[in-house]
Amino acid sequence: GGALMCDGRLLRGSRGQAGEIGHAILVPDGRSWGGTGVAGIFEGYSSATAVVARAKDGDGRSAGALNDSSLSRLLQPADCADVFRHAEQGDEYAKSVVSETARYLAIGCINCCRFVDPEVILFAGGMAQAGDFLLHQVRNQFAAYHWNIESVRVEILAADLGAHSGVVGAARAALLVVDTADGML
């Protein structure tokens, strides 16, 4: 998911679809994800659910890498927090999943910057719960792939509302629709 804010206002676009950052194509003809019928979308590589899916299926890593990982004992009820926890504890396989996730997130953020030039990019939901362990890597990857014609000026932060950001954002969007329908905006 995602949202675009400008001057304190939610940008909705002509049909209310602006800000569907998670559905931007990140890897052409990549992983199938969701019900949109489009493969390779950002969400399919960098959402909390996708991190678990990529950890479980190996996503191009050697067959033995997962078997050697401490994650192999957890993969039935594993969640994104498990992947990050094992990476922080030094598991090489989990670290590679997190590093790759940080790269995907950074590239997605750079693409957003090319379109809207934000001051701040906020991570919320499951990915924000990974905290500085992930955000530090995202910032480093962002700097590595950012163009060299000017320095990086966007801040990459975790949203204060964390996992509740999406619910609060959806409620605000619903209020905007109601207010607009009533002629209040």
Side-chain angles (χ1 to χ4, degrees), residues 7-19:
D7 298 326
R9 297 192 62 132
L10 178 67
L11 297 179
R12 299 173 43 98
S14 65
R15 289 179 294 281
Q17 297 177 8

Side-chain angles (χ1 to χ4, degrees), residues 109-110 113-114 116-121 139 142-144 146-157:
C109 289
I110 289 168
C113 287
R114 298 298 174 260
V116 295
D117 191 25
E119 286 181 54
V120 177
I121 295 173
R139 289 181 196 113
F142 188 97
H146 188 268
W147 56 23
N148 63 5
I149 59 175
E150 68 176 46
S151 61
V152 173
R153 291 193 257 182
V154 66
E155 288 185 85
I156 298 174
L157 306 169

Side-chain angles (χ1 to χ4, degrees), residues 15-16 27 32 63 77 83 87-88 113 126 128 154 157 167 171:
R15 289 179 294 281
V27 179
S32 293
V83 176
E88 284 184 278
C113 287
V154 66
L157 306 169
V167 172

Side-chain angles (χ1 to χ4, degrees), residues 87-170:
E88 284 184 278
Q89 293 170 352
D91 182 290
E92 291 301 320
Y93 180 80
K95 284 171 39 177
S96 73
V97 172
V98 171
S99 176
E100 184 177 61
T101 301
R103 184 171 66 96
Y104 287 133
L105 287 167
I107 291 169
C109 289
I110 289 168
N111 289 338
C112 289
C113 287
R114 298 298 174 260
F115 292 115
V116 295
D117 191 25
E119 286 181 54
V120 177
I121 295 173
L122 294 176
F123 282 83
M127 300 312 287
Q129 293 174 352
D132 266 346
F133 178 71
L134 174 63
L135 292 182
H136 176 74
Q137 292 184 59
V138 172
R139 289 181 196 113
N140 287 342
Q141 293 284 344
F142 188 97
Y145 287 100
H146 188 268
W147 56 23
N148 63 5
I149 59 175
E150 68 176 46
S151 61
V152 173
R153 291 193 257 182
V154 66
E155 288 185 85
I156 298 174
L157 306 169
D160 288 339
L161 294 174
H164 303 292
S165 298
V167 172
V168 172

